[in-house]
């Protein structure tokens, strides 16, 4: 699993020239972000950070990740339909984690009123790292599954051309030809298009819920453009717009600015900072409607870290996917060690193990969006502070995956070109639509 770019990483002058060419090609291909200075405007944009050379993935692990994605789709969908499982699993978390509790309150309100939507759409991304088994063979281990606002399908559709270009410049034409074509934005759009079709109103629109200050707009536009090519119109609005101009009719059809909405695609609403009281009210209005939500609130809850931890318990997968032992085996093979921190003997033991060997574990809160996990001394300090508190139930403990580092250049605007040790994640997108 080591990199094969070693010889090219020695020549600084060649690297700088390659980096200039790669950046120009990335800009030409649309591997773009808005700038931190102007996140609401596309007047000035820059390239999204990317590696100069492609990352190597063992083909057997790529095939394994593709194969198990079908199982993860079915599992997430099964969890989202199992109210008793969600309530039991999240009972301790919602006592201490206000964000998960607010989502769960909306879920309970919608259940009580009766779920109006009949078509369900899941667009998720399952993230993995590779590590060595004791016998030296490579193993695929899941980090998490993202069930809300799973991003970078658009930009990932454009990066293969950049890496082919770099390798062709180096005369590595055979290696360039081996870079796999990749178009997740088309696959994600096909899922939305199918849900829109099943909703059954040719005049209805797709509503993309976005932040006003959205640097990653081009990633989202890739999916919008795929839908527009299929004559499906997309409108971008904020939660605030829904609150001010959204309404439900007597059949709980959703209207915004007088236009019926078939599908609501969330690219916002996955972090506490993205909600105020007005936004929570807008989210409730959307959930109460018969529009296809992607995700509906139950599916967002199915993607929480606490649910991920509970799924790793012995016997749980068998209950959720009865009569599917092969699927259960494929899923379980990707799990790393996951441990509950609920008050009690099991949680006490997990904390004791983490404090005794902090380098073996990572502490995860119930948050999406990256950058929230705690490691090393920071993890130890947090566990020492929380070990006698109910608040510890808002975290889970995970065995740290140990991928093999490799040399590459990380290209970022304003940063010098230099070789660094990197580790890779592999993200596989999953799409499913359920009716009835």
């Amino acid at each position: 699993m080591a990199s094969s770019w070693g010889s090219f990483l020695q020549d600084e002058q060649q690297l700088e020239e390659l980096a200039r060419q790669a950046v120009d090609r990335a800009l030409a291909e649309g591997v773009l972000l808005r700038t931190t200075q102007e996140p609401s405007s596309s007047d000035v944009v820059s390239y999204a950070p990317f590696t100069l050379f492609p990352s190597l993935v063992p083909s057997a692990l790529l095939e394994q990740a593709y194969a198990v994605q079908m199982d993860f789709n079915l599992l997430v969908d099964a969890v989202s339909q199992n109210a008793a499982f969600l309530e039991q699993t999240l009972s301790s978390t919602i006592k201490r984690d206000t964000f998960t509790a607010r989502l769960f309150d909306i879920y309970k309100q919608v259940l009580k009123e009766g779920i109006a939507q009949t078509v369900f759409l899941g667009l998720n991304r399952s993230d993995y790292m590779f590590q060595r088994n004791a016998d030296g063979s490579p193993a695929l281990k899941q980090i998490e599954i993202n069930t809300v606002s799973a991003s970078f399908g658009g930009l990932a559709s454009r990066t293969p051309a950049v890496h082919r270009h770099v390798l062709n410049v180096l005369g590595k034409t055979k290696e360039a030809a081996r870079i796999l074509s990749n178009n997740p934005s088309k696959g994600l759009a096909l899922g939305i298009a199918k849900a829109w079709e099943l909703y059954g109103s040719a005049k209805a629109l797709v509503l993309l819920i976005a932040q006003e200050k959205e640097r990653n707009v081009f990633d989202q536009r890739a999916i919008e453009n795929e839908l527009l090519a299929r004559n499906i119109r997309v409108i971008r609005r904020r939660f605030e717009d829904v609150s001010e101009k959204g309404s439900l009719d007597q059949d709980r059809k959703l209207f915004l600015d007088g236009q019926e909405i078939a599908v609501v695609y969330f690219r916002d609403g996955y972090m506490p900072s993205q909600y105020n009281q007005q936004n929570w009210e807008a989210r409730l209005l959307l959930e109460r409607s018969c529009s296809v939500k992607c995700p509906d609130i139950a599916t967002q809850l199915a993607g929480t870290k606490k649910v991920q931890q509970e799924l790793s318990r012995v016997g749980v997968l068998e209950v959720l996917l009865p009569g599917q032992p092969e699927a259960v085996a494929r899923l379980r093979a990707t799990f790393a060690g996951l441990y509950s921190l609920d008050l009690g003997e099991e949680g006490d033991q997990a904390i004791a193990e983490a404090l005794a060997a902090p380098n073996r574990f990572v502490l995860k809160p119930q948050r999406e969006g990256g950058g929230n996990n705690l490691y090393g001394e920071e993890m130890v300090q947090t566990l020492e502070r929380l070990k006698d508190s109910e608040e510890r139930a808002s975290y889970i403990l995970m065995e740290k995956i140990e991928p093999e580092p490799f040399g590459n250049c990380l290209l970022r605007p304003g940063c010098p070109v230099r070789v660094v040790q990197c580790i890779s994640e592999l993200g596989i997108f999953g799409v499913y639509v359920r009716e009835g």
Side-chain angles (χ1 to χ4, degrees), residues 363-404:
L363 188 63
K364 291 188 164 189
Q366 310 299 317
R367 294 288 174 270
E368 300 300 328
N372 302 299
N373 299 337
L374 301 174
Y375 304 86
E377 186 56 36
E378 198 176 8
M379 180 188 75
V380 169
Q381 289 174 7
T382 303
L383 286 176
E384 290 283 10
R385 179 173 59 83
L386 297 178
K387 65 181 180 183
D388 297 319
S389 164
E390 279 189 351
E391 192 185 335
R392 76 189 207 184
S394 63
Y395 292 82
I396 67 161
L397 195 67
M398 183 174 178
E399 220 170 74
K400 194 193 284 184
I401 301 166
E402 299 285 359
E404 288 183 13

Side-chain angles (χ1 to χ4, degrees), residues 77 415 427 431:
D77 191 47
C415 293
V431 179

Side-chain angles (χ1 to χ4, degrees), residues 224-241:
E224 291 178 56
N225 295 340
E226 290 280 357
L227 289 167
L228 200 56
R230 291 165 176 77
N231 298 316
I232 299 172
R233 194 170 152 229
V234 182
I235 56 171
R236 297 174 64 87
R237 297 290 186 272
R238 304 165 306 152
F239 277 122
E240 290 85 350
D241 300 316

Side-chain angles (χ1 to χ4, degrees), residues 157-175:
S157 301
R158 288 158 168 69
T159 47
V162 180
H163 285 139
R164 284 193 197 103
H165 177 75
V166 168
L167 295 183
N168 281 326
V169 167
L170 289 170
K172 290 275 195 179
T173 52
K174 283 184 182 175
E175 287 85 348

Side-chain angles (χ1 to χ4, degrees), residues 248-261:
L248 305 185
D249 72 3
Q250 61 191 23
D251 299 318
R252 287 203 264 166
K253 290 179 179 176
L254 174 65
F255 290 84
L256 191 61
D257 293 325
Q259 296 174 298
E260 186 176 357
I261 304 298

